[in-house]
Structures are given as C-alpha cells and as structure tokens.
Amino acid sequence: VLADASGRVAEDLRRPSFFLYLVHVLGGRRLLRRHLRDERREIVSGACLMVRREVIAEVGVLDGNLFWCEDVDFCVRIGGAGYRVVRVPDAVVLHLEGDSARSNLSLVLEKQYTSKIMFLRKHASSLETRLTIAVFLVQLSARALKWSVLALLAPSPEARTRASACSYLLRELPRYFRTAYPWES
C-alpha cells in the first residue's frame, strides 16, 4: 500500500481502458472506486514492486518506451503469463508522488498521455485506443481552458506551464489517430 507524506493511502491502480478514462473524465472517480473495489488486483504500483527472478526471465523487464504505465504494462504481462499479482495490505510504503515531476511539468504531462496511448496500442483494440484518444481530447480541452483562464486571472509559472503544455498536447494528440508512435515519424 502506498501512502503520501500526510499518510493518505493512494488509490489502487486499474488497467487502463476506454471505460476507465471515460468515467474519470466525467467525474465518476467515487463511483469507479466503489464499483471496482472488490475486483481482483491485477495492477500494483511500480513505486513498490517485488517480482521473482523467474517471472522476469519469462515476461521480460519493464518497457523502457513507457515513461508512464510501465508498471501497469509489466503487471498485465505478468498476469498474461499466468502469474498472480497481489498487494500486501500490511506493507505501507511512503511515496512522494509527483515530487520529481515539478522540475519538468510540461514533459511529465506529455508523457502521461503518450504512455497511456502506447499502453492501449499494446493491449487494447484500435477502436478502444481511438475512443480513448477522443476522451483525452475532451479532457485536454477542459484542462487547456482552465489553465489558460488561470494564467490570465491569477498568473503563475505553474498556470502558464500547464496552459502551454495542455494547448501543445491538444494540437498534437490528433496525430495519434494515424500512427502508433507519431513522435518517431
């Protein structure tokens, strides 16, 4: 179990899907937590992950192409190989999530979206991936508007950085409909 500096327990990770992102964007986090609470654990955070050597030998290591979701991809591959992924509720680990992201917020925002799309391209259908990209476009539109307004009304470096990053991603994301890895073309 991961806890932040204040002792608040982090939400369980879920396998990325169109449904998950749609519910998240529509503001249904509470519904999602309640609906999926008793589901078998299939994902644990890479912030505290222990794996037997023979499992790594069979499924491989973390995917270096994924900046985000590499732990999710790893757990999906482990589960796909017939192993169980379990969480040890008595083990609590302090995780200062986001501390390293502050130094390059724009890059982190970009990698969050691109890694989620790359994960879906590996593990979901083309239709589900494209529908999820459409959800991301809606989400980014709202975020770009929010941060642009904040940058105008209450200027701060964070607001300007987030407004710029969201606007950039909003322009770039449509390319993901056409190619698997548009940043390599």
Side-chain angles (χ1 to χ4, degrees):
V1 175
L2 296 179
D4 64 16
S6 67
R8 189 177 68 231
V9 174
E11 290 182 29
D12 288 331
L13 297 174
R14 298 291 176 197
R15 182 181 177 140
S17 67
F18 167 71
F19 172 75
L20 179 82
Y21 292 127
L22 180 64
V23 170
H24 178 75
V25 167
L26 294 176
R29 278 185 157 180
R30 194 171 298 157
L31 167 73
L32 193 60
R33 272 191 298 244
R34 187 172 57 242
H35 176 68
L36 297 176
R37 183 173 292 149
D38 296 328
E39 182 180 68
R40 183 181 79 112
R41 303 272 180 237
E42 60 179 9
I43 309 296
V44 294
S45 173
C48 183
L49 179 66
M50 293 175 56
V51 182
R52 286 184 283 164
R53 183 180 307 200
E54 61 268 17
V55 174
I56 294 171
E58 184 175 337
V59 302
V61 297
L62 295 168
D63 185 341
N65 292 314
L66 297 173
F67 179 83
W68 224 262
C69 292
E70 74 283 0
D71 48 0
V72 177
D73 170 67
F74 193 50
C75 289
V76 168
R77 288 186 285 127
I78 289 170
Y83 297 98
R84 287 186 319 128
V85 175
V86 296
R87 184 179 77 150
V88 180
D90 294 337
V92 179
V93 175
L94 176 64
H95 182 224
L96 303 177
E97 184 176 13
D99 275 9
S100 60
R102 289 188 184 104
S103 64
N104 197 342
L105 187 57
S106 188
L107 177 65
V108 169
L109 289 171
E110 178 180 353
K111 292 298 185 181
Q112 285 177 344
Y113 283 97
T114 58
S115 291
K116 290 171 184 176
I117 293 167
M118 288 175 65
F119 172 87
L120 289 169
R121 290 211 188 271
K122 282 179 77 171
H123 298 286
S125 70
S126 177
L127 175 63
E128 182 177 2
T129 302
R130 286 189 165 101
L131 288 172
T132 304
I133 292 168
V135 168
F136 287 166
L137 287 168
V138 170
Q139 183 182 42
L140 277 168
S141 296
R143 286 182 173 180
L145 178 62
K146 169 190 166 183
W147 288 107
S148 295
V149 169
L150 284 174
L152 289 172
L153 299 179
S156 71
E158 180 185 10
R160 284 190 297 277
T161 299
R162 287 183 181 269
S164 175
C166 288
S167 296
Y168 167 77
L169 285 169
L170 197 52
R171 290 189 306 272
E172 295 298 314
L173 217 53
R175 294 189 313 153
Y176 288 80
F177 280 106
R178 295 188 296 275
T179 70
Y181 306 104
W183 54 89
E184 292 178 353
S185 53

